[in-house]
Amino acid sequence: MAASKPVEPQSGSSLPRWQLALLIGTPIVLGVGAVYLWNRSKTKDSPGKRNGERTTPEGSASPVQGQDGNLEGPLDRAQGAKNKGNKYFKAGKYEQAIQCYTEAIGLCPRDNQTDLSTFYQNRAAAYEQQMMWTEVVQDCTQAVEMNPRYIKALFRRAKALERLDNKKECLEDVTAVCILEAFQNQQSMLLADKVLKLLGKEKAKDKYKNRDPLMPSPQFIKSYFSSFTDDIISQPLQKGEKKDEDKDNEGEAAEVTESSGYLKAKQYMEEENYDKIISECTKEVDSGGRYTAEALLLRATFYLLIGNATGAQPDLDRVINMEDANIKLRANALIKRGSMYMQQQQPMMSTQDFNMAAEIDTRNADVYHHRGQLKILLDQVEEAVGDFDECILLRPDSALAQAQKCFALYRQAYTGNSQSQVQTAMDGFEDVIRRFPKCAEGYALYAQALTDQQQFGKADQMYNKCIDLEPDNATTYVHKGLLQLQWKQDLDLGLDLISKAIEIDNKCDFAYETMGTIEVQRGNLDKAIDMFNKAINLAKSEMEMAHLYSLCDAAYAQTEVARKYGLKPPTL
C-alpha cells in the first residue's frame, strides 16, 4: 500500500509521525490540538508548584504594616486576613482559611481588582482541597472576570470543570492556559490532551454508530487488496470460475453463473463497481451457494472498507469457524478480524487472531506480513522484523515486506540512537529500491526515513518516484507537501500539493486532516474546523474519527479563547 500514513507505535502521544517531523529543526509551531504533547521541555518547579501543578495560595507571608505597627486601611486589613488565611491553608485548616479569604473579599475595595481576584483564587484553592468543585468554579470565575489572563485561576477552574464533567468549558480554559504558558507546562498540556481524547471518543462513538456507510476511493481499495498475496477473494476471476465445471453444456453453465452472487461480485470487483459487491455477496449467502464462505469473507471485507465493523464481525466469525472451509479463507478472515480488533484498540485479541492464523496456515505469507505491521504498532520492533523475515522467506518477491522490514529496522535504530544501525537501515532501503524499482511503498518509506535524517532533497526525489509509479495516490502528494513545509518553509507549494491530493481523491481523509492542521498553524480556525469535519465524515474507523474530533475540538476551543480573551497561539 504505497505512500500510506506512517505507522506509529501505541504511545502516550497521539501525534502522527508527520506532525512531529514538522517540528524537528524548523521554526514551524503547531497550534493547540496538534502539539499538546510535543513541547514538554521540563522546567524546574517554582515555589508552590508540584510537577507543574499550582496548589498553594498566593500572597506575602505577613501583612503590610504602617509606621505605628498597626494595619492601615481596608486593603491592608484585607491583606492581613488573606495572609492569615494562607497560614491556615498551609497548616491544612481549610475551613478557617476559607473564612479568612471570605473576610478578605468582604474588606477589599471593589476597585482593587487585582487584589480581589487573588483573594477569590485563594479561596478557590481552599475549596479545591475540600473537593467543593462548584464553589471552585464560582470563585475562579470571579477571579478571571477581574483578571482575564490569570493563569492560576484559569487552570484551577479547568480542573474543577473536569471534575464536574464539563469537558467543553474545561478545554477552553486549559487551552487559554497552554497559550499563556507558551506550551511550557506539562501539567496543563496533559490535562488538555486528556480532555481532547475523552471528547473525541465520546463524539466518535455516537457519530460512528449513526454514520452513513461510505465507500472509499477505488485507489484506496486497490491499495488495500494489494497488501495481500494469499487472499483468494482478491485474486482475478479465473476462467474455471466463469462456468460450472460439473455441467456438460454451456447453456446450463451460463445459468449457474448468472445465479451466483459471489461470481457476480467478483466481476464487479474487476470492473471497480464496488457499490454492488455487498448486495451480490448477500444473495450468495442467503441462497447457501457453493461460494458461501468466499461470499461471507468478501462481504465482511467490504463492510470493513466502508467502516461497518459491526456488520463485518459476524461474517468473519462464521468463516473462521467453518472447519471445512479453505484454510486460506479462514486465515484471511483471522487477519482481517485481528486488524479490526487493533483499530478498536484491543491489542490482545488482535494478537490472538494473528497467532491463530499462523497456527492454522503456517505458510501463509500474509499472516506474517500483517502481524509484522501489528508488532510495529505495538512497538515490538524485533518481533516485527522476525515476521517480515518469515514473510520474505515464503515470498522472496514480496517487495512490500522487504520495504517494511527496512522501515522497522530504521525505527529501531533511530529510536535507539545508533547511527551505525541507522546507516545500515538506509543502505537496506537503497537495496530494496534497486531490486524492486516498481515498488512505490519502498520509495515512500525511504522518503520518510530520509526526512528524519533531514536529507530533504533526496526525500523529495523518492516522493517523485512514488508519483511516477502511482500518479493517482493522493497520500504521496500530502507527504510531499509536508516535506516542502519542513524543507523550504514553502507554505504555498505545500498547500498546492495537498490541494492536488484532494483533487485526485476527494475521499482522502489524510489530506483534509493535514490541511486542517496547517490552517490551525496559520490561524485560519474556521477553515481548519471545516477541513477536520470533512475528514471526520471520511474516517474509516472509530479510532481515527476520535482523533479527528480531538483536532476539531481543539481548533474550536481556540476560536472561543480568541473571542473571550483575545489569545492566539503563534501562527505561520
Side-chain angles (χ1 to χ4, degrees):
M1 189 155 35
S4 59
K5 291 185 187 180
V7 176
E8 281 302 300
Q10 299 297 303
S11 64
S13 172
S14 61
L15 300 182
R17 186 180 188 84
W18 62 266
Q19 288 178 320
L20 288 171
L22 278 176
L23 299 167
I24 300 172
T26 74
I28 294 175
V29 178
L30 297 184
V32 176
V35 76
Y36 279 132
L37 297 182
W38 164 58
N39 193 6
R40 290 185 179 175
S41 54
K42 293 186 178 180
T43 56
K44 292 183 179 179
D45 288 343
S46 59
K49 292 187 181 182
R50 185 170 61 244
N51 295 325
E53 185 174 1
R54 307 148 186 85
T55 58
T56 61
E58 293 179 294
S60 56
S62 58
V64 178
Q65 295 182 332
Q67 291 181 350
D68 58 0
N70 296 320
L71 297 176
E72 295 180 353
L75 179 58
D76 292 328
R77 291 196 296 276
Q79 290 283 3
K82 181 261 297 182
N83 290 337
K84 188 176 179 181
N86 286 357
K87 290 178 181 179
Y88 280 128
F89 186 99
K90 291 173 183 176
K93 298 179 179 180
Y94 302 116
E95 286 286 357
Q96 293 93 322
I98 289 169
Q99 292 175 8
C100 291
Y101 295 141
T102 301
E103 181 182 352
I105 290 167
L107 289 168
C108 186
R110 299 297 98 179
D111 56 349
N112 288 91
Q113 297 279 287
T114 301
D115 294 295
L116 195 54
S117 68
T118 299
F119 301 156
Y120 274 111
Q121 198 282 142
N122 283 11
R123 190 170 71 176
Y127 281 135
E128 182 181 52
Q129 294 298 318
Q130 296 186 314
M131 294 186 288
M132 300 171 66
W133 309 118
T134 300
E135 288 77 6
V136 173
V137 170
Q138 291 171 348
D139 274 6
C140 286
T141 298
Q142 291 283 352
V144 170
E145 285 178 358
M146 298 172 195
N147 182 2
R149 300 193 176 194
Y150 197 168
I151 292 176
K152 272 193 174 183
L154 283 164
F155 188 64
R156 182 158 278 120
R157 185 170 68 177
K159 291 186 293 180
L161 287 165
E162 183 202 6
R163 293 283 191 156
L164 294 169
D165 201 33
N166 188 337
K167 298 181 188 69
K168 179 178 176 293
E169 292 186 15
C170 169
L171 179 60
E172 290 174 14
D173 278 353
V174 77
T175 297
V177 172
C178 286
I179 295 171
L180 287 167
E181 294 177 328
F183 306 98
Q184 294 297 310
N185 189 294
Q186 187 180 33
Q187 195 74 18
S188 50
M189 288 190 291
L190 283 171
L191 177 58
D193 185 70
K194 177 184 177 183
V195 175
L196 278 170
K197 285 178 178 176
L198 289 171
L199 278 170
K201 285 180 180 179
E202 286 179 3
K203 292 184 176 182
K205 186 175 183 179
D206 181 62
K207 171 80 171 179
Y208 195 76
K209 182 173 61 178
N210 298 306
R211 71 198 288 265
D212 293 326
L214 181 67
M215 191 67 68
S217 66
Q219 193 280 329
F220 180 91
I221 293 171
K222 286 186 285 187
S223 292
Y224 173 81
F225 280 112
S226 73
S227 67
F228 295 92
T229 56
D230 279 332
D231 181 5
I232 293 173
I233 64 168
S234 66
Q235 301 305 315
L237 197 61
Q238 300 299 311
K239 288 183 179 179
E241 290 179 312
K242 294 181 181 179
K243 60 184 179 181
D244 189 334
E245 294 177 344
D246 295 331
K247 301 296 180 180
D248 294 328
N249 61 67
E250 291 184 9
E252 288 178 310
E255 184 179 350
V256 172
T257 301
E258 181 68 22
S259 66
S260 173
Y262 172 70
L263 296 182
K264 277 189 182 179
K266 289 285 293 279
Q267 188 66 47
Y268 285 137
M269 275 189 71
E270 291 186 8
E271 297 168 359
E272 298 183 16
N273 193 353
Y274 300 118
D275 289 323
K276 294 183 178 180
I277 288 175
I278 289 176
S279 61
E280 291 300 331
C281 287
T282 299
K283 291 177 184 177
E284 182 79 21
V285 172
D286 290 347
S287 67
R290 63 184 289 191
Y291 298 109
T292 294
E294 289 87 344
L296 283 166
L297 182 54
L298 185 57
R299 183 171 70 177
T301 302
F302 272 86
Y303 275 143
L304 290 173
L305 285 168
I306 64 175
N308 184 2
T310 303
Q313 182 155 356
D315 286 354
L316 294 172
D317 292 346
R318 281 185 64 183
V319 176
I320 290 164
N321 293 322
M322 285 181 174
E323 294 187 3
D324 58 341
N326 186 309
I327 202 69
K328 292 201 176 297
L329 290 176
R330 295 176 64 204
N332 188 266
L334 282 162
I335 293 169
K336 288 170 180 173
R337 192 175 71 177
S339 299
M340 180 192 73
Y341 283 142
M342 195 62 203
Q343 284 190 330
Q344 295 171 347
Q345 297 181 292
Q346 301 183 65
M348 289 184 64
M349 296 182 72
S350 179
T351 300
Q352 287 174 5
D353 273 0
F354 278 105
N355 292 345
M356 190 187 303
E359 288 174 10
I360 67 171
D361 193 7
T362 57
R363 298 192 60 77
N364 188 324
D366 289 344
V367 174
Y368 303 104
H369 177 196
H370 288 267
R371 190 170 68 178
Q373 293 179 320
L374 168 70
K375 296 299 184 183
I376 291 179
L377 285 168
L378 296 175
D379 214 14
Q380 298 170 3
V381 182
E382 286 188 22
E383 293 181 34
V385 171
D387 275 336
F388 290 135
D389 279 337
E390 191 66 32
C391 175
I392 293 164
L393 184 65
L394 291 167
R395 285 193 178 270
D397 60 344
S398 176
L400 196 54
Q402 303 263 11
Q404 291 181 340
K405 176 189 172 183
C406 280
F407 190 69
L409 289 169
Y410 169 75
R411 282 179 56 86
Q412 188 178 43
Y414 185 68
T415 55
N417 201 26
S418 172
Q419 191 54 48
S420 62
Q421 291 179 8
V422 165
Q423 188 55 53
T424 299
M426 301 300 271
D427 292 342
F429 277 121
E430 288 284 350
D431 184 57
V432 168
I433 63 174
R434 178 184 59 79
R435 289 190 294 127
F436 303 102
K438 294 185 178 180
C439 176
E441 184 82 351
Y443 295 108
L445 292 174
Y446 191 20
Q448 290 180 39
L450 288 165
T451 302
D452 275 346
Q453 299 300 307
Q454 299 191 22
Q455 298 181 38
F456 302 126
K458 193 167 184 179
D460 193 49
Q461 292 174 17
M462 295 301 105
Y463 284 132
N464 287 339
K465 288 281 190 180
C466 290
I467 291 170
D468 289 342
L469 289 166
E470 295 184 346
D472 60 345
N473 193 315
T475 311
T476 307
Y477 286 91
V478 179
H479 284 294
K480 184 174 168 65
L482 288 166
L483 177 65
Q484 306 311 309
L485 289 174
Q486 184 175 359
W487 178 22
K488 298 180 178 178
Q489 303 297 303
D490 192 333
L491 186 61
D492 290 336
L493 179 55
L495 289 172
D496 284 347
L497 285 164
I498 298 167
S499 297
K500 175 71 173 176
I502 294 172
E503 181 184 326
I504 291 171
D505 180 4
N506 64 4
K507 294 181 179 179
C508 182
D509 56 322
F510 184 41
Y512 291 113
E513 175 188 348
T514 307
M515 185 76 82
T517 306
I518 292 172
E519 294 299 350
V520 168
Q521 297 172 57
R522 300 175 75 197
N524 298 332
L525 298 175
D526 289 339
K527 188 170 182 180
I529 291 168
D530 180 55
M531 292 293 106
F532 290 139
N533 280 324
K534 287 181 178 178
I536 286 166
N537 291 328
L538 296 167
K540 298 173 185 67
S541 71
E542 189 174 329
M543 186 170 68
E544 285 183 32
M545 190 177 284
H547 167 68
L548 291 163
Y549 265 121
S550 294
L551 296 179
C552 190
D553 286 337
Y556 180 76
Q558 285 189 61
T559 65
E560 291 300 290
V561 168
R563 181 180 62 81
K564 289 180 179 178
Y565 308 116
L567 290 172
K568 293 183 179 180
T571 57
L572 293 178

